Amino acid sequence: MPAALVAAAVAVVSAVGPATSSGKTARTSSGTKLTIKGKPTSGGVASYALPIGDTFSWMLPLENQANYENYESNVESGMWRPLYVVGGAGSTGINYPMSIGKQPVYSHGNTVVTVKLNKGWKWSDGKPVTAADVRFFFELEAAAVKAGKYAPYVSGEMPKDIASVSYPNAYEFVIHLKRAYSPNWFTGNQLTWVYPLPAQAWDKTSASGKVGNYAATPAGAAKVFSFLYSQSEKLSTYSSNPLWKTVDGPWVIKSYDATTSHTVLSANRKYTGPGKPHLAGYQIYSFSSDTAELDAVRSGVVDFGYLPFSDAAQINSFKNQGYNVVPWTYFYNEAVEFGYTGPWKALVSQLYIRQALQHLVNQPLYIQRTLHGYGIPDYGIAPDYAGSNLVAPALRSNPYPYSVSAAKALLTSHGWAKGAKGIDVCKKPGNSAHECGAGIKKGAPLTIQLMYTTGVPSFQAQVEAFQTAAAQVGISLPLNGQTQNTMYSIAGVCPPGPCKWGIAAYNGYMWDFGQYQVLPGGQNQFGKGNYWAGGYNSPQADKLIAADHTSSSLKALYAAETYLTKNVASLFWPLPDYEIVLAKDNLGGWYPLSPYANYQVSRWYLTKP
């Protein structure tokens, strides 16, 4: 039977306002006035700034763990189009008109998936994009999973949920699943991983080697993947490596600075897909501080930047200087991870301690005082995004509202009492309902190291407020500030190794519900074998997540979301707007903004008087 359109079935009802128009004023859905001066032109180079600490530093569209970020896949998908593009101008779900794949058809009790490709897509070398390029992806994906270097994968998911794939003709492939899956889930959370890749240019095992059919065998695919992976690690060769010049998307790499991560892309003049770019190229800038980014905006280096939340009082000043200022609300998850393995595992493994800590996260205060109102509450795996049918009713209100007394009561009822320097110590060791819990010795202090991202005043203020609240109930949270990239290198290595931290708080954690995952069921973030939740494991969560994968009912999704919230799988933190956008008034096409924080540069254009 044909599957229902995922774009409709799982769409988030987003605020969609008018497209920016030249020489006129328009208003966003929230009433903000936009002004684009001048007439649209073709050509020119625009630029945007990434949030503090973020850098584009991975080319291969098979994400490794350290680079599994939305801002990486945004750039990659502009060069190599995914089988299914997600999101659009103010919309969520799958964007079929922009995709290489047509709507999949499910049959045989949802165990067989047939996908036909849209003809006409070509690589920049003139070769057609065909099912052979999809097969090449599946061959490399299997090798990446076996090597343990494929970030989207968790146990049991693609390719492990596929029994076989057949290729009836050049523009069709058929997936035979190991079991029946919900068409909404498999399309939105599995097929979105697929990137047709240029086998005619990439099926090789060395830079000097000839292109062959090596990936056709597992051993050969392992060698091809290892070669491509090693090339993606060589940042200094990004602009010169011929591998990265064979693209089917609207953009191709032009230059790259391995020291600053400054990236320049040019329009692919041989692009054959829909939505051809208006610009001749675009640039990406990275910054280590809010001050540096804002200076780049003021000096005109950056056309599309952002105003730090701590500088929100300057909004009118920038409007008067010719900038459009718009908050960018998005549909992601903001989480602060627990280290379930390592020195603090005994403490963070106790549900009542996690509940007490959640009671100390003052989301309304953080949003109003540190974000100046530019954010939304996040009470679980999905944020309280207005109008979304993907958010469980239980996640619309806080199950653990800010309460110092509630946090204190949880601790005292489990055998904790004030010790030296006001830090609680365990007075009743043991595993009963009114004792400290497994692995916690008598006299052990309630101290958990909190590693956090530095360089962002608004986030620093949130972390310090949280630390102060914790101290009121006897919880010591010694702070360990690190840059965002260092955070990834420290917190991003557990599992498989032990977590050498107790709590990891990234500025803008941003679990991405765009490419790779449309439905926020929690598998990749909190499921068995996950990489991003500090070793969290719950048989009950796994059971509910598995039910979500097979049921097309939203009730199954809601059940998984609700459990993960009540179980405090991570600390749920307010979701700041992605940016307070500062866009020059000669830049058009950027609004409506993507709920997936995709810059959608192909829609941009510059104007002239």
Side-chain angles (χ1 to χ4, degrees), residues 421-436:
K421 299 181 180 180
I423 301 172
D424 276 13
V425 296
C426 175
K427 297 292 186 179
K428 296 180 180 179
N431 298 340
S432 76
H434 300 291
E435 295 173 331
C436 298

Side-chain angles (χ1 to χ4, degrees), residues 329-353:
T329 302
Y330 61 123
F331 187 69
Y332 279 11
N333 166 233
E334 178 77 10
V336 171
E337 298 180 71
F338 290 112
Y340 289 96
T341 63
W344 295 275
K345 64 180 181 180
L347 295 173
V348 301
S349 294
Q350 307 304 320
L351 174 59
Y352 75 88
I353 290 179

Side-chain angles (χ1 to χ4, degrees), residues 7-8 10-18 28-30 86-94 328-332 376 385-391 396 513 518 591-597 600:
V10 303
V12 178
V13 182
S14 307
V16 180
T28 69
S29 57
S30 61
V86 296
S91 63
T92 60
I94 293 179
W328 191 346
T329 302
Y330 61 123
F331 187 69
Y332 279 11
I376 59 176
Y385 193 91
S388 171
N389 67 338
L390 300 182
V391 182
R396 294 295 187 186
F513 293 126
V518 174
Y591 188 87
L593 296 159
S594 166
Y596 296 137
Q600 305 178 103

Side-chain angles (χ1 to χ4, degrees), residues 514-535:
Q515 198 64 43
Y516 296 109
Q517 189 175 17
V518 174
L519 276 72
Q523 171 70 17
N524 295 67
Q525 192 173 356
F526 297 111
K528 183 178 181 180
N530 72 79
Y531 180 85
W532 290 103

Side-chain angles (χ1 to χ4, degrees), residues 159-455:
K160 299 295 186 180
D161 51 12
I162 296 176
S164 64
V165 185
S166 58
Y167 303 87
N169 59 66
Y171 293 97
E172 181 178 352
F173 65 95
V174 181
I175 299 175
H176 301 266
L177 300 172
K178 290 183 177 179
R179 57 179 293 189
Y181 287 101
S182 158
N184 286 340
W185 178 79
F186 192 81
T187 303
N189 285 30
Q190 298 285 265
L191 291 181
T192 47
W193 300 11
V194 178
Y195 279 77
L197 298 176
Q200 80 280 3
W202 287 10
D203 195 349
K204 54 195 300 187
T205 59
S206 68
S208 59
K210 294 182 179 180
V211 173
N213 193 29
Y214 306 106
T217 67
K223 292 179 180 179
V224 175
F225 172 74
S226 179
F227 165 65
L228 295 173
Y229 190 94
S230 70
Q231 297 302 292
S232 194
E233 290 180 311
K234 297 179 179 179
L235 277 65
S236 62
T237 68
Y238 274 8
S239 59
S240 60
N241 194 328
L243 286 170
W244 313 134
K245 302 297 185 179
T246 304
V247 298
D248 62 347
W251 304 103
V252 64
I253 190 73
K254 180 179 180 181
S255 68
Y256 183 84
D257 188 318
T259 301
T260 65
S261 301
H262 177 223
T263 307
V264 181
L265 295 103
S266 295
N268 170 19
R269 296 307 179 189
K270 297 181 179 179
Y271 175 60
T272 58
K276 291 178 174 56
H278 306 290
L279 297 171
Y282 74 94
Q283 304 181 68
I284 305 169
Y285 287 92
S286 298
F287 299 95
S288 59
S289 71
D290 285 334
T291 300
E293 185 274 337
L294 202 54
D295 286 345
V297 172
R298 288 193 179 102
S299 66
V301 171
V302 170
D303 301 297
F304 185 97
Y306 60 90
L307 184 67
F309 299 115
S310 56
D311 293 319
Q314 298 184 41
I315 285 178
N316 287 333
S317 173
F318 276 97
K319 287 182 177 179
N320 293 333
Q321 295 175 52
Y323 289 88
N324 285 298
V325 185
V326 178
W328 191 346
T329 302
Y330 61 123
F331 187 69
Y332 279 11
N333 166 233
E334 178 77 10
V336 171
E337 298 180 71
F338 290 112
Y340 289 96
T341 63
W344 295 275
K345 64 180 181 180
L347 295 173
V348 301
S349 294
Q350 307 304 320
L351 174 59
Y352 75 88
I353 290 179
R354 301 199 303 273
Q355 290 173 325
L357 288 167
Q358 189 67 67
H359 272 301
L360 300 172
V361 180
N362 194 338
Q363 295 208 36
L365 178 71
Y366 299 172
I367 291 172
Q368 292 304 317
R369 294 286 183 86
T370 70
L371 302 178
H372 305 278
Y374 293 101
I376 59 176
D378 189 352
Y379 302 133
I381 184 66
D384 188 18
Y385 193 91
S388 171
N389 67 338
L390 300 182
V391 182
L395 273 62
R396 294 295 187 186
S397 59
N398 195 345
Y400 302 107
Y402 179 74
S403 173
V404 172
S405 60
K408 185 63 179 176
L410 282 165
L411 299 177
T412 56
S413 67
H414 285 83
W416 293 88
K418 282 286 177 66
K421 299 181 180 180
I423 301 172
D424 276 13
V425 296
C426 175
K427 297 292 186 179
K428 296 180 180 179
N431 298 340
S432 76
H434 300 291
E435 295 173 331
C436 298
I440 301 175
K441 298 180 180 179
K442 186 173 184 178
L446 188 43
T447 299
I448 307 170
Q449 184 204 72
L450 197 167
M451 183 168 58
Y452 72 99
T453 302
T454 58

